[in-house]
Amino acid sequence: ALNRSSRQSITALRLDPSRGLWIGSRGGLDLLSAESNEREPIAAAAQNVAVGVVRDLLLDSRGDLWVASSSGLWRVNRGSRQLQHVAATVLDDVSSIFEDQAHNIYIGTANGLFRADGGGSEISLAWPGEPGAHIDAIAEDHAGTLWLAVRGQGLRVVSLSPEEVEDVPEQVQQHATAAFNFKGVLCQVPDLDSFQKKIAVSQQVA
């Protein structure tokens, strides 16, 4: 059973049919075992990195648990009882995590919306957002459009429909401060409006 102090600090819950109830808190991650009904703290594999405050939990279609926390992105593989830190400097503060219909993993941060492959070994920027604006929640409609709750900015809708970019205008290259690839599409940041074809089209809806 959970003690009083643990109940007061709970920040996220995710039911796992095969293992029990995952419990995120300000102190890290625990598992309320379906077999023993006992609370088990889940340790991080990297002892030099603290899990921090757990903000969101996702049990993906493969049975892996993804953990969004103040110290970044973590994963507990199916059949494991250990947290693995997904090392990526852009993911130092994660607010939300979501799996879409195509089983892509999206990660909401203060630095934009990112996408991870199934194992988390490759992280790519899907939508730059506004600097410092946390993406606190992610949802998807039947058309595959992502809806984002952006802290301090309300609701945004983002359509990720990449098309081939054959030639990036020279003026875009001059003004852009960074570049990234998403599904083979070359994108420049932050000068997205200068693109002849864009990967992300967004508008504020509320």
Side-chain angles (χ1 to χ4, degrees), residues 108-120:
T109 75
N111 302 309
L113 181 69
F114 291 82
R115 195 184 82 153
D117 67 4

Side-chain angles (χ1 to χ4, degrees), residues 2-93:
L2 295 174
N3 59 38
R4 183 179 179 186
S5 61
S6 297
R7 290 198 301 268
Q8 290 176 337
S9 64
I10 291 174
T11 54
L13 296 172
R14 186 64 57 190
L15 185 63
D16 186 335
S18 63
R19 287 182 281 189
L21 181 66
W22 294 102
I23 302 168
S25 71
R26 295 187 179 278
L29 180 70
D30 298 89
L31 176 64
L32 187 61
S33 173
E35 297 178 356
S36 65
N37 201 34
E38 293 293 326
R39 173 176 171 257
E40 174 189 348
I42 304 300
Q47 299 299 322
N48 60 331
V49 182
V51 178
V53 179
V54 174
R55 296 196 174 112
D56 198 8
L57 297 170
L58 167 71
L59 187 67
D60 70 16
S61 55
R62 305 193 317 172
D64 294 343
L65 181 78
W66 296 77
V67 181
S69 85
S70 57
S71 66
L73 181 66
W74 300 76
R75 188 179 69 252
V76 180
N77 291 331
R78 183 179 180 181
S80 171
R81 294 290 178 91
Q82 198 170 53
L83 275 162
Q84 300 288 338
H85 191 227
V86 180
T89 56
V90 292
L91 302 179
D92 58 353
D93 191 358

Side-chain angles (χ1 to χ4, degrees), residues 33 40 62 85 94 122 124 144 150 164 167 195:
S33 173
E40 174 189 348
R62 305 193 317 172
H85 191 227
V94 180
E122 294 185 9
S124 58
V150 183
E164 290 186 5
D167 182 36
F195 270 97

Side-chain angles (χ1 to χ4, degrees), residues 169-181:
E170 184 177 350
Q171 62 269 27
V172 174
Q173 298 179 25
Q174 292 175 347
H175 292 291
T177 59
F180 64 92
N181 282 285

